[in-house]
Amino acid sequence: MKRVAVLGSTGSIGVSTLDVLGRHPDRYRVTALAAASNGSALLQQCLRFRPAIAVLQEATAAQALEHGLRAAGCPTEVHCGPEALDACAASADVDVVMAAIVGAAGLPSTLAAARAGKQVLVANKESLVMAGSLLVDAARRGGAVLVPIDSEHNAIFQCMPHTLRTGAAPAGVRRILLTASGGPFLRATREQMADVTPEQACAHPRWRMGRKISVDSATLMNKGLELIEACVLFGMEPSAVKVVVHPQSIVHSMVEYVDGSILAQLGNPDMRTPIAHALGWPERIASGVESLDLVAAARLDFEAPDLVRFPALGLARSAAEAGGTAPAALNAANEVAVAAFLEGGLDFLGIPALIDGVMQAHGNEPARGIEDILEADRWARALALARLGQAAREGA
Ligand code: NAD
Ligand code: MG
């Protein structure tokens, strides 16, 4: 029986993870659940899975959860705060950690799970973007296995040779073909993009996801973050990762070998497939996902991304090439820009423009340790917020 902690359990990936876990009560026991502030959703999950521990970041929500659990006679202990989250990720009572918190907030717990030698299912791509080599080193030293959940990276993982070592370029691989759906604005002009609302940006044509990653998918920054993620996980140079737009989202990515063979992983666009793959790895377990009907799908189209309409992809590629603290600064500026867009304080085209401004001011440094990364994160957030404030004052 594997003991699983689901960090970010109330989010899109967290809910899909619990759906898969609920299908295999004979194989997995949910021992810990964690979320930010959504106490009522966490209460329902605790009543269903009866974990030993539940962690919330918001104190009032944690108190309400505690009351709800006691009233229902559920023995789950409630903890609160970032240290409790890290302790939960590293706990001796946990074998598998689903790292599904959104944003830089997921970095410390993902790192803690890697250091503690867990099987870490990495959905939190921001931690790989910010601190990829630190995370890979920590996993190696701690004896942890990192299994990617991002559908593209999970597909690549499945197409790689079985001798794959995280962070090391596998022999015989020529390049990675990273597929992108193109998001909701694949055919939109820049003029149309200037006026889009958060609701339009979050209405992804193929995937139902949290709001931050949905906006990232609409700007194609998601593909840019994934490019960095692919370099980190598979030890590839950025030039060996080619982005291909594939609107049907059926081919989840491909690996090309030096002999010209291309291996692809296909499936319905449902995150329960990569989640079940990573949970069961190296075995296979059922996910609840329907068979893919290729005859009904009929067509698989591929095209080049448009870097003029989607400048975020180019910004991410530059950060991948620069290395050091550039990806951490890029990620931080993007988080500030996306949050401002979702709150109505920045228009859609302002997202890449703000990130570009921050990256132009960024004096890149080598990332020697976590402090360098956190410093670049703080610096980029502060500058992005200052520029937003300045723009608001000038606009007022
Ligand atoms: P979401 O917004 O739906 O859920 C985020 C979860 O993280 C929630 O449970 C929330 O309570 C929790 N959380 C947020 N801040 C926290 C904090 N400071 N401390 C503790 N918990 C916190 O997001 P999502 O779509 O599920 O995405 C989660 C991660 O997975 C992201 O990094 C995203 O890029 C990645 N991912 C998601 C998908 C998808 O299909 N949704 C696909 C690939 C990768
Ligand atoms: Mg993805």
Side-chain angles (χ1 to χ4, degrees):
M1 188 72 104
K2 280 191 181 172
R3 300 161 302 170
V4 186
V6 184
L7 313 184
S9 65
T10 57
S12 159
I13 293 288
V15 167
S16 293
T17 304
L18 291 176
D19 180 282
V20 176
L21 290 169
R23 293 167 193 272
H24 303 280
D26 49 323
R27 289 181 76 114
Y28 303 102
R29 186 149 48 83
V30 177
T31 51
L33 294 174
S37 57
N38 190 344
S40 54
L42 195 56
L43 174 63
Q44 294 313 314
Q45 294 179 338
C46 287
L47 296 180
R48 161 119 202 257
F49 290 94
R50 301 183 82 82
I53 290 175
V55 183
L56 278 172
Q57 295 306 304
E58 220 268 306
T60 324
Q63 265 174 10
L65 175 63
E66 172 92 43
H67 287 141
L69 288 166
R70 297 299 83 88
C74 179
T76 302
E77 272 180 36
V78 179
H79 296 248
C80 187
E83 288 80 20
L85 189 64
D86 299 355
C88 167
S91 162
D93 298 328
V94 166
D95 306 302
V96 180
V97 174
M98 166 54 85
I101 289 172
V102 60
L107 174 59
S109 52
T110 309
L111 202 51
R115 285 187 178 132
K118 307 301 179 194
Q119 178 173 336
V120 193
L121 315 190
V122 192
N124 177 246
K125 67 185 83 189
E126 294 88 350
S127 59
L128 285 167
V129 169
M130 295 173 72
S133 60
L134 290 183
L135 207 48
V136 169
D137 280 358
R140 214 166 264 164
R141 269 190 255 127
V145 180
L146 303 181
V147 190
I149 291 296
D150 219 339
S151 58
E152 296 78 4
H153 305 75
N154 184 270
I156 296 162
F157 185 94
Q158 294 193 46
C159 297
M160 283 289 184
H162 292 296
T163 51
L164 178 74
R165 281 180 69 232
T166 309
V173 170
R174 184 189 280 159
R175 59 180 185 162
I176 286 172
L177 302 172
L178 184 68
T179 53
S181 69
F185 308 133
L186 178 59
R187 308 283 171 228
T189 61
R190 270 185 74 80
E191 290 67 37
Q192 288 167 327
M193 280 194 244
D195 296 326
V196 301
T197 63
E199 276 52 50
Q200 289 169 319
C202 289
H204 196 279
R206 301 280 164 204
W207 301 94
R208 291 283 148 265
M209 309 179 286
R211 283 166 77 75
K212 190 262 177 184
I213 183 176
S214 295
V215 176
D216 286 347
S217 300
T219 59
L220 285 205
M221 178 54 89
N222 183 51
K223 213 46 56 181
L225 299 177
E226 291 185 359
L227 189 164
I228 301 172
E229 185 184 3
C231 294
V232 166
L233 285 170
F234 306 111
M236 305 298 282
E237 290 300 322
S239 58
V241 182
K242 187 178 171 60
V243 175
V244 186
V245 174
H246 167 48
Q248 291 91 354
S249 294
I250 286 176
V251 175
H252 298 306
S253 278
M254 296 166 263
V255 174
E256 182 181 321
Y257 286 83
V258 288
D259 60 7
S261 300
I262 294 179
L263 302 194
Q265 186 260 4
L266 285 73
N268 281 318
D270 186 323
M271 289 307 292
R272 290 176 303 171
T273 294
I275 290 167
H277 166 268
L279 274 172
W281 183 87
E283 292 170 23
R284 294 275 179 174
I285 60 167
S287 64
V289 176
E290 295 286 302
S291 288
L292 167 64
D293 185 343
L294 272 174
V295 174
R299 287 181 58 152
L300 300 177
D301 294 309
F302 300 95
E303 59 190 88
D306 182 340
L307 295 177
V308 176
R309 283 183 305 126
F310 298 101
L313 186 52
L315 292 172
R317 189 174 281 283
S318 300
E321 283 160 0
T325 55
L330 175 94
N331 179 68
N334 181 55
E335 287 192 22
V336 171
V338 171
F341 170 70
L342 285 172
E343 286 155 17
L346 184 67
D347 61 30
F348 186 73
L349 294 178
I351 299 173
L354 182 63
I355 301 165
D356 191 11
V358 171
M359 294 315 287
Q360 288 196 26
H362 180 65
N364 199 16
E365 300 277 351
R368 285 159 304 220
I370 193 72
E371 264 319 310
D372 290 346
I373 285 162
L374 296 178
E375 176 51 31
D377 176 272
R378 276 191 294 269
W379 172 87
R381 271 172 213 276
L383 181 59
L385 284 168
R387 298 237 166 132
L388 277 172
Q390 190 186 350
R393 281 191 301 278
E394 283 166 6

